[in-house]
Amino acid sequence: MTNVERMWWKIFSTVLSAVLVTIVTYLISKYTGDDFGGLTGGVGGGHADTIRKLVTKPSGEYLSCIGGHDAIKRDLQRCVLAPLKHPNVFFTGSPAVRPPTGVLFHGPPGTGKTMLARALASESGVPFLALNNAVLESKWWGESPKLLASAFKVAKEELAPCIMFFDEIDGMGRARCEQDQSCVYSFKCELLRNIDSVQNEPVMIVACTNTVQSLDPALRRRFPKTIEVGRPDLSQRLAILKVLSQEETFLDITMLDSVAAASEQRSGADLKSLFAEASNIRMEGLSVDLSTLKNGDDLLNLLGPLTWEHWVQAFQNLGFPLTHPPQPVPPQPVPPPSQPPPPHGS
């Protein structure tokens, strides 16, 4: 075989291998759903299909279902819900009425940040696109920025008005440093660029984090509306307990006051766990054929009211200290028996 023949054979083998790889890749992606880094779909194909699957229906959680945070709810009604319900008013015409592009919830874990974001979607009735590291990270080099760009493209062109929710955004938007790999650095830059691209679009970006101080300064600047969701105070804990126990047939408000006072520094998630544990404790000793019941309402009607002993046992089971246990009522002094009047003449 001459040198020319060897050269043509090498070119033919390379082209044939490329064709075979393309065919195999297409067949695998078609029957397994793996787009191999977008080779068969690109930003407008496989990536967009992946993003569309992340759009969730309204969760059924409304702001009224969240106890406490009354000031935050009023703020969200003005700066988020009104623009999403009336995008033609707030996103066209004068920029003086343009709402903030990004809303950042920050605070300790379990205080209701994610619940507030989902309640916004339910209240406004707009699509809710939930994004996180598990969705946007890819094993293929350079595919994470493409997924991110596709998410913003779908939001602007197909879903708007909508909410893009970044859960635990500190996982993808930490402060840039020299130790960042090039793919990580490019992803952060792509995130900043895409947030800027929706400045005048009816796309509300909502994010939450437990460590706001770790975010990149440029990313924090793109969330002009920053809301701290702290641990509930006494009145807010009482409001949360009332929401949790609103289905109770026999509700002792005085006892809820004691539970709220005894659960200082507890988050909303802690109170939810506390109520669930107390409610389950009262099922001990219940002898009933559960197959005869239709649903949980029938079981609730058979259970007695929650007592203080149930709550105390729940505190112990969960390891929550009783910060302000109710003081026992001191026994009232018993008046001495009345003496009969002395006889006349004595």
Side-chain angles (χ1 to χ4, degrees), residues 125-147:
V126 301
F128 186 78
L129 180 57
L131 302 168
N132 53 37
N133 275 345
V135 171
L136 297 176
E137 285 184 350
S138 174
K139 61 184 177 181
W140 302 100
W141 185 274
E143 288 308 304
S144 292
K146 292 180 181 179
L147 276 170

Side-chain angles (χ1 to χ4, degrees), residues 74 87 223 251 326:
R74 290 192 297 269
F223 287 92
L251 185 59

Side-chain angles (χ1 to χ4, degrees), residues 103-127:
V103 177
L104 178 65
F105 295 118
H106 68 94
T111 53
K113 299 182 293 295
T114 302
M115 188 181 298
L116 283 169
R118 296 190 181 278
L120 289 175
S122 298
E123 293 274 358
S124 60
V126 301

Side-chain angles (χ1 to χ4, degrees), residues 53-330:
K53 296 177 182 178
L54 303 177
V55 180
T56 61
K57 297 180 180 179
S59 62
E61 297 173 328
Y62 295 88
L63 292 178
S64 59
C65 301
I66 303 175
H69 302 307
D70 293 335
I72 294 177
K73 293 177 187 177
R74 290 192 297 269
D75 204 3
L76 295 176
Q77 289 279 357
R78 182 185 68 255
C79 67
V80 178
L81 291 179
L84 289 176
K85 291 180 179 179
H86 308 282
N88 58 317
V89 175
F90 288 89
F91 292 95
T92 58
S94 174
V97 297
R98 204 65 48 84
T101 303
V103 177
L104 178 65
F105 295 118
H106 68 94
T111 53
K113 299 182 293 295
T114 302
M115 188 181 298
L116 283 169
R118 296 190 181 278
L120 289 175
S122 298
E123 293 274 358
S124 60
V126 301
F128 186 78
L129 180 57
L131 302 168
N132 53 37
N133 275 345
V135 171
L136 297 176
E137 285 184 350
S138 174
K139 61 184 177 181
W140 302 100
W141 185 274
E143 288 308 304
S144 292
K146 292 180 181 179
L147 276 170
L148 184 64
S150 182
F152 279 87
K153 180 180 177 66
V154 170
K156 289 186 293 184
E157 298 181 1
E158 300 180 19
L159 303 179
C162 66
I163 293 176
M164 294 185 70
F165 177 58
F166 289 87
D167 194 11
E168 304 295 344
I169 196 172
D170 51 286
M172 62 186 77
R174 288 185 178 275
R176 287 167 288 182
C177 61
E178 296 180 355
Q179 287 73 29
D180 283 345
Q181 296 181 354
S182 60
C183 60
V184 176
Y185 193 91
S186 64
F187 177 83
K188 295 177 182 179
C189 293
E190 186 71 16
L191 177 61
L192 299 176
R193 187 185 69 80
N194 279 281
I195 292 177
D196 290 337
S197 70
V198 296
Q199 291 291 331
N200 300 318
E201 302 288 342
V203 176
M204 190 67 65
I205 301 175
V206 180
C208 72
T209 178
N210 299 331
T211 55
V212 65
Q213 67 277 4
S214 67
L215 293 182
D216 189 274
L219 182 60
R220 287 192 63 179
R221 186 183 63 81
R222 285 163 171 80
F223 287 92
K225 189 66 177 179
T226 303
I227 299 176
E228 182 178 4
V229 187
R231 289 189 176 91
D233 57 19
L234 178 60
S235 61
Q236 292 175 342
R237 292 196 300 273
L238 179 59
I240 294 173
L241 290 171
K242 288 181 179 179
V243 171
L244 292 172
S245 57
Q246 60 185 349
E247 301 294 333
E248 292 290 322
T249 306
F250 305 99
L251 185 59
D252 187 351
I253 300 298
T254 303
M255 183 176 59
L256 289 186
D257 291 333
S258 300
V259 176
S263 54
E264 190 176 358
Q265 294 300 314
R266 295 290 108 191
S267 66
D270 292 337
L271 294 176
K272 185 176 181 180
S273 300
L274 188 66
F275 171 75
E277 183 67 16
S279 184
N280 286 331
I281 289 173
R282 62 178 169 175
M283 294 181 60
E284 296 179 359
L286 179 66
S287 57
V288 62
D289 186 2
L290 297 180
S291 61
T292 61
L293 305 180
K294 295 180 180 179
N295 51 39
D297 293 336
D298 292 344
L299 179 59
L300 184 61
N301 292 332
L302 294 176
L303 297 174
L306 283 172
T307 65
W308 176 247
E309 287 72 20
H310 295 145
W311 289 104
V312 171
Q313 185 63 43
F315 272 94
Q316 294 175 354
N317 292 352
L318 298 179
F320 295 165
L322 286 166
T323 54
H324 296 286
Q327 299 297 326
V329 178

